[in-house]
Amino acid sequence: METNSSKLATALLVMDIQPLTIKMLTGNATLIPAINKAIAAARAAEIPVIYVVVGFRKGFPEVGPANKSFSAIKSGAYPGLEDPQPDDTVAVQPGDIVVTKRRVSAFAGSDLEVILRAHRIEHLVLAGISTSGVVLSTLREAADKDYRLSVLSDGCADLDNEVHTVLLTKVFPRQAEVMTADQWVAGLA
């Protein structure tokens, strides 16, 4: 398995890029091209691409009424969360891994950590929707688990642009290297 310049095994996490989240996000024409550039570079460098989607069993038995974030989905207003798949704009290829999570963090209710350990991954490159949701929660948990972290600034988006900017410029740099997809790709060469 290829390693980055610090000799750490790396994985690219493409998180919550699924039809439901894409529909909620408007006006971000650079997100998908940046993510696809990172995916292509990861594949060329033999870096695992791991897609993380949020999803639930039929009837949403994982969601309790006290969960403010997820309890609204039980109404059925959010189609595509049963048997979720990554959006076609970031097509999964043979060899890519799809992980289903049950909460906001990519680690929560998923087998992501088992997969990372099996591949001896030590460095995670994060991209996804939303910056204040899956990216923030995954970054915090991964930092606590001692992963080296990078965040692709143009590979993340949020419904609140101000929160997105604050996270990328003030919060994330405390625990991760924040860079564009182009900068990450250039570092792979």
Side-chain angles (χ1 to χ4, degrees), residues 110-147:
S110 78
D111 58 357
L112 177 61
E113 193 165 10
V114 172
I115 291 166
L116 296 175
R117 277 196 318 264
H119 291 275
R120 297 190 171 148
I121 301 297
E122 300 176 71
H123 176 211
L124 302 177
V125 179
L126 308 180
I129 301 171
S130 74
T131 313
S132 64
V134 68
V135 180
L136 172 62
S137 294
T138 302
L139 181 140
R140 292 293 199 187
E141 190 165 349
D144 282 346
K145 294 176 184 295
D146 296 325
Y147 287 97

PDB file of all heavy atoms in Angstrom, residues 110-147:
ATOM      1  N   SER A 110     -20.632   2.343  12.842  1.00  0.00           N
ATOM      2  CA  SER A 110     -20.117   1.762  11.598  1.00  0.00           C
ATOM      3  C   SER A 110     -18.934   0.849  11.905  1.00  0.00           C
ATOM      4  O   SER A 110     -18.443   0.801  13.033  1.00  0.00           O
ATOM      5  CB  SER A 110     -19.667   2.868  10.637  1.00  0.00           C
ATOM      6  OG  SER A 110     -18.408   3.394  11.017  1.00  0.00           O
ATOM      7  N   ASP A 111     -18.457   0.186  10.871  1.00  0.00           N
ATOM      8  CA  ASP A 111     -17.275  -0.651  11.008  1.00  0.00           C
ATOM      9  C   ASP A 111     -16.030   0.033  10.439  1.00  0.00           C
ATOM     10  O   ASP A 111     -15.036  -0.621  10.124  1.00  0.00           O
ATOM     11  CB  ASP A 111     -17.495  -2.017  10.361  1.00  0.00           C
ATOM     12  CG  ASP A 111     -17.851  -1.935   8.883  1.00  0.00           C
ATOM     13  OD1 ASP A 111     -17.990  -0.812   8.352  1.00  0.00           O
ATOM     14  OD2 ASP A 111     -18.002  -2.993   8.256  1.00  0.00           O
ATOM     15  N   LEU A 112     -16.060   1.360  10.348  1.00  0.00           N
ATOM     16  CA  LEU A 112     -14.941   2.107   9.775  1.00  0.00           C
ATOM     17  C   LEU A 112     -13.630   1.823  10.499  1.00  0.00           C
ATOM     18  O   LEU A 112     -12.609   1.576   9.867  1.00  0.00           O
ATOM     19  CB  LEU A 112     -15.234   3.615   9.791  1.00  0.00           C
ATOM     20  CG  LEU A 112     -14.101   4.503   9.291  1.00  0.00           C
ATOM     21  CD1 LEU A 112     -13.761   4.194   7.838  1.00  0.00           C
ATOM     22  CD2 LEU A 112     -14.463   5.974   9.458  1.00  0.00           C
ATOM     23  N   GLU A 113     -13.650   1.851  11.814  1.00  0.00           N
ATOM     24  CA  GLU A 113     -12.401   1.657  12.546  1.00  0.00           C
ATOM     25  C   GLU A 113     -11.802   0.274  12.299  1.00  0.00           C
ATOM     26  O   GLU A 113     -10.583   0.121  12.189  1.00  0.00           O
ATOM     27  CB  GLU A 113     -12.603   1.909  14.036  1.00  0.00           C
ATOM     28  CG  GLU A 113     -11.294   2.029  14.777  1.00  0.00           C
ATOM     29  CD  GLU A 113     -11.443   2.622  16.156  1.00  0.00           C
ATOM     30  OE1 GLU A 113     -12.576   2.785  16.645  1.00  0.00           O
ATOM     31  OE2 GLU A 113     -10.400   2.913  16.749  1.00  0.00           O
ATOM     32  N   VAL A 114     -12.636  -0.737  12.173  1.00  0.00           N
ATOM     33  CA  VAL A 114     -12.149  -2.089  11.877  1.00  0.00           C
ATOM     34  C   VAL A 114     -11.465  -2.100  10.514  1.00  0.00           C
ATOM     35  O   VAL A 114     -10.382  -2.683  10.341  1.00  0.00           O
ATOM     36  CB  VAL A 114     -13.308  -3.110  11.929  1.00  0.00           C
ATOM     37  CG1 VAL A 114     -12.863  -4.481  11.439  1.00  0.00           C
ATOM     38  CG2 VAL A 114     -13.880  -3.193  13.326  1.00  0.00           C
ATOM     39  N   ILE A 115     -12.065  -1.449   9.536  1.00  0.00           N
ATOM     40  CA  ILE A 115     -11.490  -1.381   8.189  1.00  0.00           C
ATOM     41  C   ILE A 115     -10.163  -0.630   8.216  1.00  0.00           C
ATOM     42  O   ILE A 115      -9.174  -1.071   7.617  1.00  0.00           O
ATOM     43  CB  ILE A 115     -12.489  -0.720   7.213  1.00  0.00           C
ATOM     44  CG1 ILE A 115     -13.673  -1.667   6.998  1.00  0.00           C
ATOM     45  CG2 ILE A 115     -11.814  -0.367   5.894  1.00  0.00           C
ATOM     46  CD1 ILE A 115     -14.859  -1.023   6.331  1.00  0.00           C
ATOM     47  N   LEU A 116     -10.112   0.493   8.926  1.00  0.00           N
ATOM     48  CA  LEU A 116      -8.871   1.267   8.999  1.00  0.00           C
ATOM     49  C   LEU A 116      -7.753   0.453   9.657  1.00  0.00           C
ATOM     50  O   LEU A 116      -6.609   0.468   9.195  1.00  0.00           O
ATOM     51  CB  LEU A 116      -9.104   2.577   9.751  1.00  0.00           C
ATOM     52  CG  LEU A 116     -10.082   3.556   9.087  1.00  0.00           C
ATOM     53  CD1 LEU A 116     -10.325   4.753   9.997  1.00  0.00           C
ATOM     54  CD2 LEU A 116      -9.593   3.992   7.712  1.00  0.00           C
ATOM     55  N   ARG A 117      -8.078  -0.252  10.727  1.00  0.00           N
ATOM     56  CA  ARG A 117      -7.074  -1.089  11.395  1.00  0.00           C
ATOM     57  C   ARG A 117      -6.610  -2.216  10.475  1.00  0.00           C
ATOM     58  O   ARG A 117      -5.416  -2.544  10.421  1.00  0.00           O
ATOM     59  CB  ARG A 117      -7.627  -1.675  12.693  1.00  0.00           C
ATOM     60  CG  ARG A 117      -7.545  -0.728  13.862  1.00  0.00           C
ATOM     61  CD  ARG A 117      -7.722  -1.428  15.209  1.00  0.00           C
ATOM     62  NE  ARG A 117      -8.759  -2.440  15.253  1.00  0.00           N
ATOM     63  CZ  ARG A 117     -10.008  -2.235  15.677  1.00  0.00           C
ATOM     64  NH1 ARG A 117     -10.370  -1.050  16.103  1.00  0.00           N
ATOM     65  NH2 ARG A 117     -10.883  -3.208  15.679  1.00  0.00           N
ATOM     66  N   ALA A 118      -7.538  -2.819   9.749  1.00  0.00           N
ATOM     67  CA  ALA A 118      -7.180  -3.921   8.847  1.00  0.00           C
ATOM     68  C   ALA A 118      -6.198  -3.465   7.773  1.00  0.00           C
ATOM     69  O   ALA A 118      -5.339  -4.238   7.337  1.00  0.00           O
ATOM     70  CB  ALA A 118      -8.437  -4.501   8.200  1.00  0.00           C
ATOM     71  N   HIS A 119      -6.316  -2.212   7.364  1.00  0.00           N
ATOM     72  CA  HIS A 119      -5.420  -1.654   6.335  1.00  0.00           C
ATOM     73  C   HIS A 119      -4.253  -0.878   6.945  1.00  0.00           C
ATOM     74  O   HIS A 119      -3.474  -0.278   6.212  1.00  0.00           O
ATOM     75  CB  HIS A 119      -6.212  -0.750   5.383  1.00  0.00           C
ATOM     76  CG  HIS A 119      -7.156  -1.505   4.516  1.00  0.00           C
ATOM     77  ND1 HIS A 119      -6.778  -2.082   3.332  1.00  0.00           N
ATOM     78  CD2 HIS A 119      -8.467  -1.809   4.670  1.00  0.00           C
ATOM     79  CE1 HIS A 119      -7.811  -2.695   2.783  1.00  0.00           C
ATOM     80  NE2 HIS A 119      -8.854  -2.545   3.574  1.00  0.00           N
ATOM     81  N   ARG A 120      -4.192  -0.859   8.275  1.00  0.00           N
ATOM     82  CA  ARG A 120      -3.140  -0.138   9.008  1.00  0.00           C
ATOM     83  C   ARG A 120      -3.065   1.329   8.604  1.00  0.00           C
ATOM     84  O   ARG A 120      -1.979   1.899   8.447  1.00  0.00           O
ATOM     85  CB  ARG A 120      -1.802  -0.837   8.849  1.00  0.00           C
ATOM     86  CG  ARG A 120      -1.840  -2.227   9.443  1.00  0.00           C
ATOM     87  CD  ARG A 120      -0.510  -2.859   9.526  1.00  0.00           C
ATOM     88  NE  ARG A 120      -0.656  -4.092  10.298  1.00  0.00           N
ATOM     89  CZ  ARG A 120       0.041  -5.153  10.110  1.00  0.00           C
ATOM     90  NH1 ARG A 120       0.981  -5.179   9.199  1.00  0.00           N
ATOM     91  NH2 ARG A 120      -0.151  -6.220  10.856  1.00  0.00           N
ATOM     92  N   ILE A 121      -4.213   1.923   8.446  1.00  0.00           N
ATOM     93  CA  ILE A 121      -4.310   3.332   8.071  1.00  0.00           C
ATOM     94  C   ILE A 121      -3.998   4.191   9.294  1.00  0.00           C
ATOM     95  O   ILE A 121      -4.529   3.970  10.368  1.00  0.00           O
ATOM     96  CB  ILE A 121      -5.722   3.659   7.534  1.00  0.00           C
ATOM     97  CG1 ILE A 121      -6.053   2.803   6.307  1.00  0.00           C
ATOM     98  CG2 ILE A 121      -5.868   5.155   7.258  1.00  0.00           C
ATOM     99  CD1 ILE A 121      -5.181   3.020   5.108  1.00  0.00           C
ATOM    100  N   GLU A 122      -3.158   5.186   9.094  1.00  0.00           N
ATOM    101  CA  GLU A 122      -2.797   6.113  10.158  1.00  0.00           C
ATOM    102  C   GLU A 122      -3.124   7.565   9.814  1.00  0.00           C
ATOM    103  O   GLU A 122      -3.064   8.430  10.679  1.00  0.00           O
ATOM    104  CB  GLU A 122      -1.300   6.009  10.447  1.00  0.00           C
ATOM    105  CG  GLU A 122      -0.861   4.622  10.895  1.00  0.00           C
ATOM    106  CD  GLU A 122       0.637   4.547  11.067  1.00  0.00           C
ATOM    107  OE1 GLU A 122       1.132   5.155  12.028  1.00  0.00           O
ATOM    108  OE2 GLU A 122       1.285   3.900  10.236  1.00  0.00           O
ATOM    109  N   HIS A 123      -3.401   7.830   8.546  1.00  0.00           N
ATOM    110  CA  HIS A 123      -3.658   9.191   8.071  1.00  0.00           C
ATOM    111  C   HIS A 123      -4.973   9.203   7.305  1.00  0.00           C
ATOM    112  O   HIS A 123      -5.144   8.452   6.351  1.00  0.00           O
ATOM    113  CB  HIS A 123      -2.507   9.640   7.164  1.00  0.00           C
ATOM    114  CG  HIS A 123      -2.703  10.985   6.540  1.00  0.00           C
ATOM    115  ND1 HIS A 123      -2.187  11.286   5.312  1.00  0.00           N
ATOM    116  CD2 HIS A 123      -3.341  12.102   6.960  1.00  0.00           C
ATOM    117  CE1 HIS A 123      -2.505  12.539   4.996  1.00  0.00           C
ATOM    118  NE2 HIS A 123      -3.212  13.046   5.986  1.00  0.00           N
ATOM    119  N   LEU A 124      -5.894  10.052   7.733  1.00  0.00           N
ATOM    120  CA  LEU A 124      -7.188  10.189   7.065  1.00  0.00           C
ATOM    121  C   LEU A 124      -7.267  11.535   6.362  1.00  0.00           C
ATOM    122  O   LEU A 124      -6.949  12.572   6.949  1.00  0.00           O
ATOM    123  CB  LEU A 124      -8.323  10.082   8.086  1.00  0.00           C
ATOM    124  CG  LEU A 124      -8.377   8.807   8.916  1.00  0.00           C
ATOM    125  CD1 LEU A 124      -9.513   8.879   9.924  1.00  0.00           C
ATOM    126  CD2 LEU A 124      -8.511   7.585   8.018  1.00  0.00           C
ATOM    127  N   VAL A 125      -7.723  11.500   5.121  1.00  0.00           N
ATOM    128  CA  VAL A 125      -7.988  12.711   4.353  1.00  0.00           C
ATOM    129  C   VAL A 125      -9.502  12.816   4.258  1.00  0.00           C
ATOM    130  O   VAL A 125     -10.161  11.910   3.741  1.00  0.00           O
ATOM    131  CB  VAL A 125      -7.337  12.645   2.959  1.00  0.00           C
ATOM    132  CG1 VAL A 125      -7.635  13.907   2.167  1.00  0.00           C
ATOM    133  CG2 VAL A 125      -5.830  12.408   3.086  1.00  0.00           C
ATOM    134  N   LEU A 126     -10.060  13.912   4.775  1.00  0.00           N
ATOM    135  CA  LEU A 126     -11.504  14.043   4.921  1.00  0.00           C
ATOM    136  C   LEU A 126     -12.102  14.992   3.891  1.00  0.00           C
ATOM    137  O   LEU A 126     -11.575  16.079   3.638  1.00  0.00           O
ATOM    138  CB  LEU A 126     -11.841  14.568   6.321  1.00  0.00           C
ATOM    139  CG  LEU A 126     -11.241  13.816   7.507  1.00  0.00           C
ATOM    140  CD1 LEU A 126     -11.673  14.484   8.813  1.00  0.00           C
ATOM    141  CD2 LEU A 126     -11.634  12.354   7.484  1.00  0.00           C
ATOM    142  N   ALA A 127     -13.247  14.573   3.333  1.00  0.00           N
ATOM    143  CA  ALA A 127     -14.042  15.401   2.434  1.00  0.00           C
ATOM    144  C   ALA A 127     -15.499  15.022   2.651  1.00  0.00           C
ATOM    145  O   ALA A 127     -15.794  13.869   2.967  1.00  0.00           O
ATOM    146  CB  ALA A 127     -13.647  15.155   0.974  1.00  0.00           C
ATOM    147  N   GLY A 128     -16.413  15.988   2.505  1.00  0.00           N
ATOM    148  CA  GLY A 128     -17.814  15.619   2.624  1.00  0.00           C
ATOM    149  C   GLY A 128     -18.766  16.750   2.930  1.00  0.00           C
ATOM    150  O   GLY A 128     -18.382  17.900   3.085  1.00  0.00           O
ATOM    151  N   ILE A 129     -20.032  16.359   3.015  1.00  0.00           N
ATOM    152  CA  ILE A 129     -21.132  17.255   3.361  1.00  0.00           C
ATOM    153  C   ILE A 129     -21.715  16.741   4.670  1.00  0.00           C
ATOM    154  O   ILE A 129     -22.110  15.588   4.758  1.00  0.00           O
ATOM    155  CB  ILE A 129     -22.242  17.215   2.281  1.00  0.00           C
ATOM    156  CG1 ILE A 129     -21.702  17.610   0.913  1.00  0.00           C
ATOM    157  CG2 ILE A 129     -23.418  18.094   2.682  1.00  0.00           C
ATOM    158  CD1 ILE A 129     -22.698  17.376  -0.228  1.00  0.00           C
ATOM    159  N   SER A 130     -21.726  17.453   5.677  1.00  0.00           N
ATOM    160  CA  SER A 130     -21.451  18.865   5.812  1.00  0.00           C
ATOM    161  C   SER A 130     -20.237  19.099   6.700  1.00  0.00           C
ATOM    162  O   SER A 130     -19.898  18.286   7.546  1.00  0.00           O
ATOM    163  CB  SER A 130     -22.662  19.597   6.370  1.00  0.00           C
ATOM    164  OG  SER A 130     -22.822  19.343   7.743  1.00  0.00           O
ATOM    165  N   THR A 131     -19.633  20.258   6.485  1.00  0.00           N
ATOM    166  CA  THR A 131     -18.450  20.633   7.245  1.00  0.00           C
ATOM    167  C   THR A 131     -18.748  20.636   8.736  1.00  0.00           C
ATOM    168  O   THR A 131     -17.946  20.167   9.540  1.00  0.00           O
ATOM    169  CB  THR A 131     -17.956  22.019   6.795  1.00  0.00           C
ATOM    170  OG1 THR A 131     -17.914  22.066   5.370  1.00  0.00           O
ATOM    171  CG2 THR A 131     -16.581  22.324   7.365  1.00  0.00           C
ATOM    172  N   SER A 132     -19.924  21.154   9.110  1.00  0.00           N
ATOM    173  CA  SER A 132     -20.284  21.246  10.532  1.00  0.00           C
ATOM    174  C   SER A 132     -20.902  19.964  11.070  1.00  0.00           C
ATOM    175  O   SER A 132     -21.182  19.864  12.267  1.00  0.00           O
ATOM    176  CB  SER A 132     -21.268  22.400  10.763  1.00  0.00           C
ATOM    177  OG  SER A 132     -22.488  22.161  10.080  1.00  0.00           O
ATOM    178  N   GLY A 133     -21.082  18.971  10.208  1.00  0.00           N
ATOM    179  CA  GLY A 133     -21.668  17.702  10.614  1.00  0.00           C
ATOM    180  C   GLY A 133     -20.636  16.598  10.573  1.00  0.00           C
ATOM    181  O   GLY A 133     -19.797  16.474  11.463  1.00  0.00           O
ATOM    182  N   VAL A 134     -20.659  15.809   9.509  1.00  0.00           N
ATOM    183  CA  VAL A 134     -19.803  14.630   9.416  1.00  0.00           C
ATOM    184  C   VAL A 134     -18.319  14.976   9.452  1.00  0.00           C
ATOM    185  O   VAL A 134     -17.525  14.268  10.071  1.00  0.00           O
ATOM    186  CB  VAL A 134     -20.143  13.770   8.173  1.00  0.00           C
ATOM    187  CG1 VAL A 134     -19.782  14.480   6.876  1.00  0.00           C
ATOM    188  CG2 VAL A 134     -19.474  12.407   8.257  1.00  0.00           C
ATOM    189  N   VAL A 135     -17.917  16.071   8.824  1.00  0.00           N
ATOM    190  CA  VAL A 135     -16.488  16.394   8.796  1.00  0.00           C
ATOM    191  C   VAL A 135     -16.007  16.771  10.199  1.00  0.00           C
ATOM    192  O   VAL A 135     -15.012  16.235  10.686  1.00  0.00           O
ATOM    193  CB  VAL A 135     -16.170  17.503   7.764  1.00  0.00           C
ATOM    194  CG1 VAL A 135     -14.677  17.823   7.758  1.00  0.00           C
ATOM    195  CG2 VAL A 135     -16.621  17.091   6.358  1.00  0.00           C
ATOM    196  N   LEU A 136     -16.720  17.661  10.858  1.00  0.00           N
ATOM    197  CA  LEU A 136     -16.352  18.070  12.214  1.00  0.00           C
ATOM    198  C   LEU A 136     -16.377  16.882  13.182  1.00  0.00           C
ATOM    199  O   LEU A 136     -15.415  16.658  13.929  1.00  0.00           O
ATOM    200  CB  LEU A 136     -17.304  19.165  12.715  1.00  0.00           C
ATOM    201  CG  LEU A 136     -17.170  19.575  14.184  1.00  0.00           C
ATOM    202  CD1 LEU A 136     -15.790  20.148  14.474  1.00  0.00           C
ATOM    203  CD2 LEU A 136     -18.273  20.576  14.545  1.00  0.00           C
ATOM    204  N   SER A 137     -17.454  16.121  13.179  1.00  0.00           N
ATOM    205  CA  SER A 137     -17.582  15.000  14.117  1.00  0.00           C
ATOM    206  C   SER A 137     -16.529  13.929  13.875  1.00  0.00           C
ATOM    207  O   SER A 137     -15.950  13.389  14.814  1.00  0.00           O
ATOM    208  CB  SER A 137     -18.981  14.391  14.024  1.00  0.00           C
ATOM    209  OG  SER A 137     -19.936  15.321  14.464  1.00  0.00           O
ATOM    210  N   THR A 138     -16.265  13.634  12.617  1.00  0.00           N
ATOM    211  CA  THR A 138     -15.258  12.628  12.284  1.00  0.00           C
ATOM    212  C   THR A 138     -13.860  13.122  12.632  1.00  0.00           C
ATOM    213  O   THR A 138     -13.047  12.374  13.177  1.00  0.00           O
ATOM    214  CB  THR A 138     -15.352  12.244  10.796  1.00  0.00           C
ATOM    215  OG1 THR A 138     -16.671  11.753  10.537  1.00  0.00           O
ATOM    216  CG2 THR A 138     -14.322  11.191  10.424  1.00  0.00           C
ATOM    217  N   LEU A 139     -13.582  14.379  12.328  1.00  0.00           N
ATOM    218  CA  LEU A 139     -12.284  14.953  12.660  1.00  0.00           C
ATOM    219  C   LEU A 139     -12.019  14.874  14.159  1.00  0.00           C
ATOM    220  O   LEU A 139     -10.951  14.424  14.588  1.00  0.00           O
ATOM    221  CB  LEU A 139     -12.210  16.403  12.176  1.00  0.00           C
ATOM    222  CG  LEU A 139     -10.889  17.110  12.442  1.00  0.00           C
ATOM    223  CD1 LEU A 139     -10.500  17.961  11.253  1.00  0.00           C
ATOM    224  CD2 LEU A 139     -10.977  17.986  13.679  1.00  0.00           C
ATOM    225  N   ARG A 140     -12.982  15.284  14.961  1.00  0.00           N
ATOM    226  CA  ARG A 140     -12.807  15.268  16.423  1.00  0.00           C
ATOM    227  C   ARG A 140     -12.574  13.851  16.944  1.00  0.00           C
ATOM    228  O   ARG A 140     -11.677  13.611  17.746  1.00  0.00           O
ATOM    229  CB  ARG A 140     -14.019  15.878  17.118  1.00  0.00           C
ATOM    230  CG  ARG A 140     -14.191  17.348  16.886  1.00  0.00           C
ATOM    231  CD  ARG A 140     -13.081  18.116  17.535  1.00  0.00           C
ATOM    232  NE  ARG A 140     -13.495  19.509  17.683  1.00  0.00           N
ATOM    233  CZ  ARG A 140     -12.692  20.451  18.086  1.00  0.00           C
ATOM    234  NH1 ARG A 140     -11.452  20.177  18.406  1.00  0.00           N
ATOM    235  NH2 ARG A 140     -13.126  21.682  18.193  1.00  0.00           N
ATOM    236  N   GLU A 141     -13.389  12.904  16.479  1.00  0.00           N
ATOM    237  CA  GLU A 141     -13.238  11.536  16.954  1.00  0.00           C
ATOM    238  C   GLU A 141     -11.927  10.923  16.460  1.00  0.00           C
ATOM    239  O   GLU A 141     -11.228  10.233  17.211  1.00  0.00           O
ATOM    240  CB  GLU A 141     -14.433  10.678  16.534  1.00  0.00           C
ATOM    241  CG  GLU A 141     -14.441   9.332  17.193  1.00  0.00           C
ATOM    242  CD  GLU A 141     -15.761   8.601  17.097  1.00  0.00           C
ATOM    243  OE1 GLU A 141     -16.783   9.200  16.700  1.00  0.00           O
ATOM    244  OE2 GLU A 141     -15.766   7.403  17.433  1.00  0.00           O
ATOM    245  N   ALA A 142     -11.578  11.178  15.199  1.00  0.00           N
ATOM    246  CA  ALA A 142     -10.331  10.640  14.648  1.00  0.00           C
ATOM    247  C   ALA A 142      -9.113  11.227  15.366  1.00  0.00           C
ATOM    248  O   ALA A 142      -8.129  10.517  15.607  1.00  0.00           O
ATOM    249  CB  ALA A 142     -10.260  10.910  13.155  1.00  0.00           C
ATOM    250  N   ALA A 143      -9.171  12.492  15.710  1.00  0.00           N
ATOM    251  CA  ALA A 143      -8.073  13.111  16.459  1.00  0.00           C
ATOM    252  C   ALA A 143      -7.919  12.442  17.816  1.00  0.00           C
ATOM    253  O   ALA A 143      -6.798  12.158  18.258  1.00  0.00           O
ATOM    254  CB  ALA A 143      -8.318  14.610  16.616  1.00  0.00           C
ATOM    255  N   ASP A 144      -9.037  12.165  18.470  1.00  0.00           N
ATOM    256  CA  ASP A 144      -8.988  11.476  19.759  1.00  0.00           C
ATOM    257  C   ASP A 144      -8.453  10.049  19.617  1.00  0.00           C
ATOM    258  O   ASP A 144      -7.934   9.483  20.574  1.00  0.00           O
ATOM    259  CB  ASP A 144     -10.372  11.433  20.415  1.00  0.00           C
ATOM    260  CG  ASP A 144     -10.741  12.753  21.063  1.00  0.00           C
ATOM    261  OD1 ASP A 144      -9.856  13.609  21.249  1.00  0.00           O
ATOM    262  OD2 ASP A 144     -11.933  12.924  21.388  1.00  0.00           O
ATOM    263  N   LYS A 145      -8.569   9.482  18.431  1.00  0.00           N
ATOM    264  CA  LYS A 145      -8.075   8.124  18.181  1.00  0.00           C
ATOM    265  C   LYS A 145      -6.638   8.157  17.639  1.00  0.00           C
ATOM    266  O   LYS A 145      -6.109   7.142  17.210  1.00  0.00           O
ATOM    267  CB  LYS A 145      -8.992   7.399  17.190  1.00  0.00           C
ATOM    268  CG  LYS A 145     -10.384   7.133  17.745  1.00  0.00           C
ATOM    269  CD  LYS A 145     -11.283   6.504  16.688  1.00  0.00           C
ATOM    270  CE  LYS A 145     -12.685   6.303  17.169  1.00  0.00           C
ATOM    271  NZ  LYS A 145     -12.839   5.356  18.250  1.00  0.00           N
ATOM    272  N   ASP A 146      -6.029   9.337  17.610  1.00  0.00           N
ATOM    273  CA  ASP A 146      -4.631   9.540  17.213  1.00  0.00           C
ATOM    274  C   ASP A 146      -4.337   9.338  15.734  1.00  0.00           C
ATOM    275  O   ASP A 146      -3.220   8.983  15.358  1.00  0.00           O
ATOM    276  CB  ASP A 146      -3.689   8.665  18.066  1.00  0.00           C
ATOM    277  CG  ASP A 146      -3.727   9.049  19.533  1.00  0.00           C
ATOM    278  OD1 ASP A 146      -3.879  10.254  19.821  1.00  0.00           O
ATOM    279  OD2 ASP A 146      -3.625   8.157  20.382  1.00  0.00           O
ATOM    280  N   TYR A 147      -5.299   9.589  14.868  1.00  0.00           N
ATOM    281  CA  TYR A 147      -5.026   9.583  13.436  1.00  0.00           C
ATOM    282  C   TYR A 147      -4.400  10.919  13.047  1.00  0.00           C
ATOM    283  O   TYR A 147      -4.733  11.957  13.617  1.00  0.00           O
ATOM    284  CB  TYR A 147      -6.322   9.400  12.624  1.00  0.00           C
ATOM    285  CG  TYR A 147      -6.864   7.999  12.682  1.00  0.00           C
ATOM    286  CD1 TYR A 147      -7.868   7.658  13.576  1.00  0.00           C
ATOM    287  CD2 TYR A 147      -6.369   7.005  11.837  1.00  0.00           C
ATOM    288  CE1 TYR A 147      -8.366   6.370  13.635  1.00  0.00           C
ATOM    289  CE2 TYR A 147      -6.864   5.710  11.885  1.00  0.00           C
ATOM    290  CZ  TYR A 147      -7.861   5.405  12.788  1.00  0.00           C
ATOM    291  OH  TYR A 147      -8.343   4.129  12.840  1.00  0.00           O
TER     292      TYR A 147
END
